[in-house]
């Protein structure tokens, strides 16, 4: 029962005074915090932080007699510890030990060389703006104070990665372009030499945030960017410099095998970023990749081209009373199916801020299908409303060639715009070509019907 009684007393102590005794850790030390309410006579009221006196007097049952704050007087203000801590003292209080200053403390910035290597590319999610890879970051700097760590007769010595900062200085190189929880460390290697050189190699599963330009999708090229910096040092303390002539930089030859991208170019450089009081030296690693457009183009164009041919096929159905429903239903089904296909594509690739090639192609196919639906209804109106079956047959025959010609021209123009320049202008040209030709032809057909009716009326009058 003694542990249960102790826990109950401790819970009552925390609720009432906000002070938790920790005798097991530091004798009579107490952990204080500021609760919002305290207990008094069964009521809850605001209070300030007070200190609980812990008296280790034996009550005969192995328990301690506790003095509660509403019985004991409050701690006076003159007894409160009001010492002010410097930055170094605060770091010591938090870490439990003094941090070793950088090698050039008080002087020029310490040079930290770096390089990055993509071992394996994993995936790219354009909708979320992320990409994943197996990344290796190598950093190197000079610190003569590490030379005694190497035994006599050896050139190098491996050091535990969790070596205290009081024993060895570390620039704390971190990746800043990562996604939330986007870094999982696989291995960490730290080596010192008798010449005072420190080498750190970190391998991680990295998921980074990135901006993607899908204007030319699926003919697009993307730049995958990784940014690193020192987590604790400013520009006047640490300066990053790229390691040149190394085999541990860039992309492994097999990193993009069986992936829907080809590596076009890689580059690494350092730069300085000044954002108000934040002055940092950063390193950047860019991988320029080009999408293999074969597979996405098939999934993008094949279903739509097939639906376009199906919409075109209505002009080959017989123009009779029994075929009205099949012709109109075929056009409507093509239109609804096309909307479904394009909606599925939009879920895979988010719409860009401006015009894109996919918008141009999808819009062209959609407008051709709608134009075929309107022209099909127009033909039925000529045949069954105007009672001019001869003209309806003529228009139906002309549509087999005229509408096919307009479709081929507009689709070819859309395909030629894959370079991504002038997409908005080409989209307007296609729209004008489709609708001017469609409504122009309908107006000309109406004029032909009117002239035919007038001639018939003149012949009847004669």
């Amino acid at each position: 029962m003694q542990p249960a009684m102790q826990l109950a007393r401790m819970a009552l102590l925390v609720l009432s005074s906000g002070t938790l005794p920790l005798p097991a850790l530091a004798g009579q030390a107490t952990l204080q915090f500021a609760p919002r309410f305290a207990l008094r006579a069964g009521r809850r009221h605001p209070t300030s932080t007070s200190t609980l006196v812990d008296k280790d007097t034996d009550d005969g049952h192995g328990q301690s007699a506790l003095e509660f704050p509403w019985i004991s007087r409050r701690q006076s203000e003159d007894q409160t510890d009001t010492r002010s801590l410097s930055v170094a003292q605060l770091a010591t209080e938090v870490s439990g030990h003094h941090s070793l200053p950088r090698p050039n403390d008080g002087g020029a910035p310490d040079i930290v060389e770096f390089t990055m290597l993509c071992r394996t590319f994993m995936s790219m999610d354009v909708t979320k703006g992320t990409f994943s890879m197996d990344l290796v970051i190598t950093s190197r700097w000079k610190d003569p104070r590490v030379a005694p760590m190497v035994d006599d007769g050896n050139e190098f010595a491996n050091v535990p990665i969790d070596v205290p900062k009081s024993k060895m200085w570390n620039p704390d190189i971190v990746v800043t372009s990562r996604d939330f929880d986007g870094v999982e460390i696989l291995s960490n290697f730290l080596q010192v030499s008798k010449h005072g050189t420190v080498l750190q190699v970190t391998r991680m599963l990295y998921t980074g945030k990135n901006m993607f330009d899908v204007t030319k999708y699926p003919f697009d090229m993307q730049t995958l960017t990784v940014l690193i910096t020192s987590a604790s040092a400013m520009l006047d303390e640490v300066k990053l410099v790229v390691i040149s002539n190394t085999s541990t930089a860039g992309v492994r030859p097999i990193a993009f095998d069986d992936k829907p991208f080809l590596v076009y170019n890689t580059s690494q450089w350092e730069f300085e970023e000044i954002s108000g009081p934040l002055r940092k030296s950063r390193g950047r690693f860019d991988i320029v990749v080009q999408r293999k457009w074969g597979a996405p183009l098939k999934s993008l164009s094949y279903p739509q081209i097939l639906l376009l041919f199906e919409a075109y096929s209505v002009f080959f159905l017989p123009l009779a009373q029994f075929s009205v429903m099949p012709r109109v239903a075929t056009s409507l089904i093509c239109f609804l199916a096309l909307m479904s296909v394009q909606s599925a594509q939009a879920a895979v690739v988010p719409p860009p801020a401006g015009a894109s090639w996919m918008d141009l192609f999808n819009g062209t196919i959609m407008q051709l299908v709608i134009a075929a639906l309107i022209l099909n209804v127009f033909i039925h109106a000529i045949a069954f409303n105007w009672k001019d079956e001869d003209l309806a047959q003529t228009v139906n025959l002309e549509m087999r060639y005229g509408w096919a010609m307009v479709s081929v021209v507009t689709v070819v123009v859309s395909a030629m715009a894959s370079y991504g320049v002038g997409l908005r202008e080409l989209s307007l040209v296609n729209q004008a070509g489709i609708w001017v030709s469609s409504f122009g032809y309908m107006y000309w057909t109406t004029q032909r019907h009117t002239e035919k009716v007038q001639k018939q009326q003149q012949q009847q009058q004669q």
Side-chain angles (χ1 to χ4, degrees):
M1 293 297 293
Q2 292 185 5
M5 292 294 295
Q6 291 178 354
L7 289 176
R9 288 169 177 265
M10 185 176 296
L12 183 59
L13 172 61
V14 171
L15 291 175
S16 60
S17 66
T19 305
L20 178 62
L22 299 176
L25 296 179
Q28 300 301 322
T30 59
L31 179 64
Q32 298 185 4
F33 59 95
R36 185 174 181 181
F37 296 96
L39 296 176
R40 175 176 294 179
R43 292 183 301 156
R44 189 172 63 174
H45 65 93
T47 184
S48 60
T49 304
S50 60
T51 303
L52 179 67
V53 179
D54 183 9
K55 296 181 179 180
D56 290 335
T57 58
D58 193 354
D59 59 0
H61 298 282
Q63 305 294 333
S64 297
L66 299 179
E67 181 177 346
F68 293 95
W70 53 83
I71 300 177
S72 63
R73 64 180 181 272
R74 290 185 179 179
Q75 181 182 19
S76 60
E77 295 182 359
D78 57 342
Q79 294 176 334
T80 305
D81 187 4
T82 58
R83 33 175 210 146
S84 60
L85 298 178
S86 65
V87 175
Q89 291 173 335
L90 181 61
T92 303
E93 291 288 336
V94 173
S95 60
H97 51 73
H98 290 279
S99 297
L100 198 66
R102 61 188 182 90
N104 294 331
D105 189 30
D110 287 282
I111 303 300
V112 177
E113 299 177 303
F114 75 92
T115 185
M116 287 178 270
L117 171 69
C118 173
R119 298 188 74 256
T120 305
F121 176 80
M122 297 178 180
S123 64
M124 177 191 300
D125 192 333
V126 178
T127 58
K128 295 181 179 179
T130 60
F131 67 95
S132 301
M133 67 172 67
D134 186 349
L135 179 67
V136 178
I137 301 178
T138 303
S139 55
R140 184 174 64 193
W141 63 92
K142 283 281 189 179
D143 191 350
R145 297 170 295 184
V146 303
M149 296 182 181
V150 184
D151 296 334
D152 295 338
N154 295 332
E155 289 287 333
F156 305 97
N158 296 335
V159 179
I161 194 63
D162 57 349
V163 59
K165 291 186 177 182
S166 61
K167 302 297 183 182
M168 188 175 70
W169 177 78
N170 194 299
D172 296 328
I173 301 300
V174 296
V175 185
T176 59
S177 56
R178 64 186 182 274
D179 194 11
F180 299 105
D181 298 328
V183 172
E184 181 180 349
I185 302 298
L186 299 180
S187 62
N188 227 333
F189 172 76
L190 191 62
Q191 185 184 74
V192 298
S193 71
K194 67 177 184 180
H195 303 292
T197 301
V198 183
L199 178 69
Q200 182 173 352
V201 181
T202 304
R203 180 184 174 187
M204 64 183 71
L205 294 180
Y206 168 74
T207 300
K209 297 294 291 184
N210 207 77
M211 298 295 293
F212 297 110
D213 182 10
V214 294
T215 301
K216 302 179 183 179
Y217 180 87
F219 310 101
D220 56 326
M221 298 180 66
Q222 304 293 343
T223 300
L224 312 179
T225 300
V226 182
L227 297 175
I228 63 171
T229 190
S230 171
S232 56
M234 290 294 188
L235 179 60
D236 58 347
E237 298 174 315
V238 168
K239 180 177 177 58
L240 298 183
V241 177
V242 178
I243 300 177
S244 58
N245 300 326
T246 177
S247 59
T248 59
V251 178
R252 283 206 311 170
I254 62 173
F256 281 79
D257 286 357
D258 301 325
K259 299 297 188 297
F261 299 95
L262 296 173
V263 179
Y264 184 79
N265 188 21
T266 63
S267 59
Q268 299 188 58
W269 72 90
E270 70 277 357
F271 66 97
E272 298 177 359
E273 182 183 31
I274 300 177
S275 302
L278 183 65
R279 304 166 61 90
K280 304 288 286 188
S281 176
R282 301 187 185 274
R284 177 164 177 160
F285 178 32
D286 282 348
I287 306 175
V288 182
V289 296
Q290 185 172 20
R291 191 184 303 273
K292 298 177 182 177
W293 50 264
L297 184 63
K298 290 178 182 178
S299 62
L300 168 71
S301 61
Y302 282 12
Q304 300 196 59
I305 294 296
L306 180 61
L307 292 172
L308 185 62
F309 274 109
E310 187 175 354
Y312 173 64
S313 67
V314 299
F315 300 117
F316 291 88
L317 295 177
L319 187 59
Q321 190 74 33
F322 67 87
S323 63
V324 172
M325 185 60 187
R327 288 172 63 109
V328 175
T330 301
S331 298
L332 288 174
I333 290 173
C334 292
F335 172 71
L336 296 176
L338 188 61
M339 289 185 62
S340 177
V341 171
Q342 295 186 0
S343 298
Q345 292 171 357
V348 177
V349 181
S356 66
W357 182 86
M358 191 170 67
D359 290 339
L360 173 61
F361 182 81
N362 290 351
T364 299
I365 299 297
M366 179 65 74
Q367 292 176 74
L368 286 171
V369 171
I370 295 175
L373 173 61
I374 295 175
L375 290 169
N376 184 30
V377 174
F378 179 67
I379 292 173
H380 285 89
I382 296 174
F384 304 110
N385 291 356
W386 298 353
K387 307 298 182 181
D388 194 345
E389 296 185 2
D390 293 337
L391 182 59
Q393 292 288 352
T394 302
V395 172
N396 191 68
L397 182 62
E398 291 173 349
M399 282 295 98
R400 296 179 184 178
Y401 302 99
W403 188 85
M405 185 180 300
V406 172
S407 300
V408 171
V409 171
T410 53
V411 170
V412 170
V413 169
S414 300
M416 292 175 61
S418 59
Y419 49 83
V421 179
L423 293 173
R424 191 177 300 277
E425 291 76 10
L426 288 175
S427 178
L428 293 175
V429 169
N430 275 357
Q431 292 180 25
I434 293 172
W435 296 115
V436 169
S437 60
S438 299
F439 287 108
Y441 179 80
M442 292 169 64
Y443 175 77
W444 177 57
T445 302
T446 303
Q447 292 297 110
R448 284 191 294 174
H449 173 70
T450 302
E451 292 176 358
K452 184 178 180 180
V453 171
Q454 290 177 353
K455 287 181 180 181
Q456 291 178 351
Q457 291 176 353
Q458 290 176 1
Q459 291 176 0
Q460 292 177 357
Q461 292 177 357
Q462 293 177 356

